[in-house]
Amino acid sequence: MKPKILVTSAAGKTGMATALQLLKKDFPVRALVHRKDARSQFLHKAGAEIVIGEMHDIDSLREAFKGCQRAYWCTPVESHPLHKMSLFAIAAAEAKVEHIVHLSQWLSSSSHPSLATREMWMMDHILDWIPGATMTINNTGWFADNYALVMLPMAQLGMMPMPLGEGRNAPPSNDDIAAVNVGALINPEDHAGRTYRPTGPELLTPQEIADAFGRALGRTVRYDNASMKMFLKALAAQKRPEFAQSQLAHYVVDYQQDAFALGAPTDAVEKVGGRRPQTMDEIARHYAQTDPDARQTVINKVRAFSFLVKIMTATPLDREKFESSREFPSSRTPEYAVSDDAWLAAHPDNSQLRSASITTINAAE
Ligand SMILES: NC(=O)c1ccc[n+]([C@@H]2O[C@H](COP(=O)([O-])OP(=O)(O)OC[C@H]3O[C@@H](n4cnc5c(N)ncnc54)[C@H](OP(=O)(O)O)[C@@H]3O)[C@@H](O)[C@H]2O)c1
């Protein structure tokens, strides 16, 4: 009998891919989803047992864990991440699980300016305390999926507006991040106590990433180094939860400072996931073929222009006001990754950091 594996955030990007890959390998999967919809029905049809539940509710987590021996923990980017993880850990301990894979962050640190990242660092430690359970950490960096957030302007207007400076990344696909999760979930004896960072095969500049989308879309796509203010306006226009808006704005500063270039690319996808990592061209082709925003239609063109107008007229989140109104705990010495000696010491290969990029950029600009 193969062990049953609980996948949290199963309707999300890495959860869905993890659940489907496990099912393909004939592992029984329990999928915790937030709601019944096309995604949960798809998972059900693929063979997963579905639990519709709420991560803020211990009974949902207890039900999800029933009969499971292993679990994938993926924290939604929303308020109260530690609250959700604590209930997950309590239910995991009660269910006597043997192994957990935790989706952390490459930036995870105790002094990062992002509260979500500091709490991720706490999770890296706390999840390791579950009695009788071992853990593998997947500390992936900036997902390739993030670039597809601007598919509409890329496909319709030929521009990739993102505030990435000239930072570089070796972007991992959702499937490759999931392959590392799956490798560790099905062979815990080989991966317990280890941390892996899946990446794509190549370190790329923002324009090189825009070029990959251009090739996939059959048009020129120009990278437009957007300002932080425009980025915040775009997040507000997309009606992203304010918690996510306030945190995402931090990560682009790390991107600009080249934190995602450090030590990339890695061989984690091949070594742990047992597959060749997807190239940016392959990933871009996938989105160009499946994302409705990529279709060349008059309606999409009108939508792209009207979204630009919406961005111009949106009010950017006042992050300081938001964070103080929510009484966010603050770090005494907040430091972005590449300015943080402790983070650099824990991420040894800093030979690829370009010295020009180690500058302090004011996240509020
Ligand atoms: N994006 C990046 O570049 C990046 C890089 C490094 C690490 N990460 C980490 O990746 C994680 C996110 O992974 P992902 O992108 O795979 O997730 P995701 O696509 O955002 O999925 C999160 C899922 O959780 C569900 N959910 C939200 N609140 C819930 C609740 N209270 N109870 C039950 N379910 C709930 C959502 O359901 P609905 O969709 O139905 O609302 C959604 O399906 C974060 O922890 C982030 O820090 C991301």
Side-chain angles (χ1 to χ4, degrees):
M1 276 276 281
K2 287 185 172 172
K4 188 176 284 187
I5 301 177
L6 168 63
V7 176
T8 62
S9 290
K13 295 182 279 288
T14 60
M16 172 74 77
T18 302
L20 294 177
Q21 288 182 31
L22 286 169
L23 288 165
K24 255 200 171 150
K25 291 182 186 293
D26 291 327
F27 277 80
V29 168
R30 170 86 41 73
L32 176 64
V33 297
H34 210 188
R35 63 194 93 242
K36 186 174 176 181
D37 60 13
R39 299 169 302 172
S40 61
Q41 277 164 358
F42 182 74
L43 279 167
H44 177 63
K45 275 199 188 132
E49 283 176 25
I50 307 295
V51 168
I52 298 168
E54 168 54 61
M55 287 180 188
H56 291 146
D57 168 44
I58 187 66
D59 290 334
S60 294
L61 286 157
R62 283 182 173 138
E63 189 191 344
F65 264 114
K66 247 182 229 158
C68 292
Q69 286 83 46
R70 301 177 192 171
Y72 171 52
W73 171 244
C74 171
T75 320
V77 186
E78 288 182 7
S79 306
H80 311 304
L82 267 186
H83 186 105
K84 295 181 183 70
M85 184 234 63
S86 305
L87 294 175
F88 170 87
I90 291 166
E94 287 176 359
K96 298 190 175 21
V97 292
E98 56 189 32
H99 190 64
I100 285 167
V101 173
H102 160 46
L103 181 64
S104 182
Q105 292 180 354
W106 176 238
L107 303 173
S108 169
S109 103
S110 59
S111 53
H112 197 276
S114 151
L115 176 63
T117 296
R118 294 199 304 279
E119 295 200 347
M120 201 56 99
W121 178 85
M122 295 177 206
M123 292 183 205
D124 292 347
H125 291 76
I126 296 167
L127 286 169
D128 213 23
W129 300 339
I130 296 172
T134 52
M135 176 175 63
T136 304
I137 295 179
N138 180 336
N139 72 344
T140 189
W142 184 280
F143 295 5
D145 187 271
N146 297 337
Y147 308 108
L149 293 174
V150 290
M151 180 54 88
L152 200 57
M154 285 197 290
Q156 310 305 326
L157 309 175
M159 56 193 273
M160 182 176 99
M162 284 197 149
L164 308 176
E166 289 307 317
R168 297 161 303 159
N169 186 22
S173 70
N174 295 341
D175 281 338
D176 286 340
I177 298 166
V180 170
N181 295 336
V182 169
L185 283 164
I186 66 178
N187 285 315
E189 55 291 350
D190 293 342
H191 304 296
R194 294 183 185 267
T195 296
Y196 298 111
R197 178 199 180 190
T199 69
E202 260 187 302
L203 203 50
L204 300 169
T205 63
Q207 184 55 55
E208 287 169 335
I209 292 164
D211 289 341
F213 278 100
R215 285 188 288 276
L217 292 163
R219 67 170 302 162
T220 302
V221 177
R222 189 175 46 80
Y223 164 57
D224 177 23
N225 185 11
S227 67
M228 181 65 84
K229 189 172 170 191
M230 287 308 284
F231 180 62
L232 286 169
K233 276 167 150 300
L235 293 176
Q238 288 176 339
K239 298 201 183 334
R240 299 251 165 176
E242 289 182 328
F243 179 84
Q245 292 182 38
S246 76
Q247 303 307 293
L248 295 176
H250 286 298
Y251 306 145
V252 298
V253 179
D254 289 289
Y255 201 119
Q256 292 165 1
Q257 296 184 347
D258 231 11
F260 297 107
L262 184 72
T266 70
D267 59 5
V269 176
E270 238 158 338
K271 288 262 165 72
V272 185
R275 53 190 263 160
R276 175 185 64 76
Q278 289 180 288
T279 63
M280 195 62 230
D281 274 291
E282 289 169 321
I283 299 170
R285 265 201 304 278
H286 163 76
Y287 288 107
Q289 285 162 8
T290 56
D291 188 336
D293 287 351
R295 278 188 221 130
Q296 293 297 331
T297 62
V298 177
I299 291 180
N300 272 349
K301 197 143 255 154
V302 173
R303 282 180 58 232
F305 279 114
S306 60
F307 187 63
L308 282 188
V309 175
K310 227 168 154 186
I311 292 175
M312 303 311 278
T313 53
T315 307
L317 179 73
D318 181 336
R319 291 160 66 205
E320 244 170 58
K321 197 168 156 199
F322 168 73
E323 295 190 4
S324 78
S325 74
R326 300 293 168 98
E327 298 182 358
F328 271 29
S330 56
S331 162
R332 206 159 52 88
T333 52
E335 294 283 10
Y336 286 105
V338 301
S339 318
D340 178 352
D341 289 342
W343 186 86
L344 282 173
H347 298 73
D349 181 5
N350 57 12
S351 57
Q352 295 190 44
L353 275 177
R354 290 175 301 179
S355 54
S357 66
I358 310 178
T359 51
T360 307
I361 296 171
N362 182 358
E365 270 170 16

